[in-house]
DNA sequence: ATAAATGCAAAGCATTTGCAACCAT
DNA sequence: ATGGTTGCAAATGCTTTGCATTTAT
């Protein structure tokens, strides 16, 4: 789940262009959009290279991936809005019993100018079962 | 993107069992896990039926789907943690310029007992371009 | 020279969909 | 009887991967 280590990384024209495309937009593009864009400069690049490099950029902290922790949807029988904790180690998702901060919606609405209906909040870290206690502070 | 309207919905044994399986666990199962579980009671049910009914349950507010707004990953060239707004109408994702609430991590850690490293917060609603102004209150 | 990175195509997976049969209303 | 629902299988779409070749070091 966490293959964050990579011996060393070579600089390639492809990765350079991908990163500059990513930095040059605020549209939170999909991999395919990046592909189409990069192709204008490197017509022979392949989608596989886009994916491989996006992953490298995310793992090395140069880009953010916007998606839920899991690669597939998970479902919750409790339809009321509540928060979740996802363990980055084992992938388990837990409910968090803490009050929903409604004030955040108003704050975001003022900051963005968009009509905010609700929000979703997920916490990430190491769960108790994986050795990450709330007060452990192992590292 | 929003096919929330459905003429009327019939009650079926399949949907009943799916909902009870969903209500009977707190593991935030995947569609496939639900499938395996429901199969113990209805051996002939198909995965397609699971997916169709999970969608109905989510659309009718009886269950929650845990996933990012989009069906595919989106990438952000800004690697610093910040919040996003996703329009439920057009699917566009916008950055929100508001301070990251670090206090939330401590609160979640206390409430959950897990070691929290960071959190992700997304707001949902109607963006300005789709007619949802911050003060509009159209409805 | 050496191993990382690429392009290409095939494969993998989660999810959706077309369709004939079925069944709740 | 009507049309929503199902089971099945094929299809779709995003993402990954195997491999021979290229290329940064």
């Amino acid at each position: 789940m966490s293959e964050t280590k990579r011996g060393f990384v070579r600089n390639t024209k492809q990765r350079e262009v991908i990163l500059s495309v990513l930095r040059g937009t605020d549209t939170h593009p999909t991999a395919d959009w990046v592909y189409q864009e990069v192709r204008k400069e490197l017509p022979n690049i392949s989608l596989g290279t886009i994916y491989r490099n996006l992953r490298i950029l995310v793992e090395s902290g140069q880009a953010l991936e916007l998606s839920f922790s899991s690669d597939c949807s998970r479902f919750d029988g409790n339809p009321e809005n509540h928060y979740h904790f996802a363990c980055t180690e084992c992938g388990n998702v837990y409910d968090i019993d803490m009050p929903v901060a409604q004030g955040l919606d108003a704050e975001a609405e003022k900051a963005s100018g968009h009509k905010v209906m609700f929000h979703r909040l997920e916490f990430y870290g190491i769960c108790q079962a994986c050795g990450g206690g709330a007060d452990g502070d192992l590292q």
Side-chain angles (χ1 to χ4, degrees), chain A:
Chain A
M1 191 138 286
S2 51
E3 171 70 29
T4 318
K5 250 144 215 164
R6 203 170 279 268
F8 68 99
V9 180
R10 283 183 188 163
N11 295 324
T12 65
K13 185 73 185 163
Q14 286 89 338
R15 182 171 315 120
E16 182 191 309
V17 175
I18 291 172
L19 184 54
S20 88
V21 162
L22 213 51
R23 291 246 169 90
T25 183
D26 62 350
T27 61
H28 306 84
T30 63
D32 195 71
W33 189 93
V34 173
Y35 175 48
Q36 303 304 340
E37 209 62 20
V38 171
R39 251 198 329 177
K40 294 176 182 170
E41 190 155 340
L42 304 174
N44 291 321
I45 198 171
S46 75
L47 235 194
T49 298
I50 301 289
Y51 276 104
R52 276 184 289 238
N53 279 296
L54 285 176
R55 181 130 45 100
I56 289 175
L57 292 174
V58 168
E59 284 177 356
S60 63
Q62 298 174 81
L64 239 46
E65 182 173 4
L66 276 50
S67 66
F68 191 64
S69 60
S70 172
D71 48 330
C72 61
S73 276
R74 286 161 167 276
F75 298 87
D76 191 324
N78 175 7
E80 286 171 54
N81 188 20
H82 59 283
Y83 300 152
H84 294 96
F85 172 91
C87 179
T88 55
E89 198 73 13
C90 64
N92 278 348
V93 177
Y94 303 85
D95 288 319
I96 292 197
D97 184 26
M98 76 186 247
V100 171
Q102 252 104 6
L104 287 174
D105 289 349
E107 195 180 340
E109 190 162 309
K110 185 160 18 167
S112 70
H114 304 304
K115 181 75 188 164
V116 174
M117 320 284 260
F118 65 98
H119 67 265
R120 193 165 290 191
L121 176 53
E122 291 122 26
F123 296 92
Y124 296 85
I126 313 290
C127 76
Q128 290 188 43
C130 288
D135 32 74
D137 224 351
L138 310 174
Q139 246 73 300

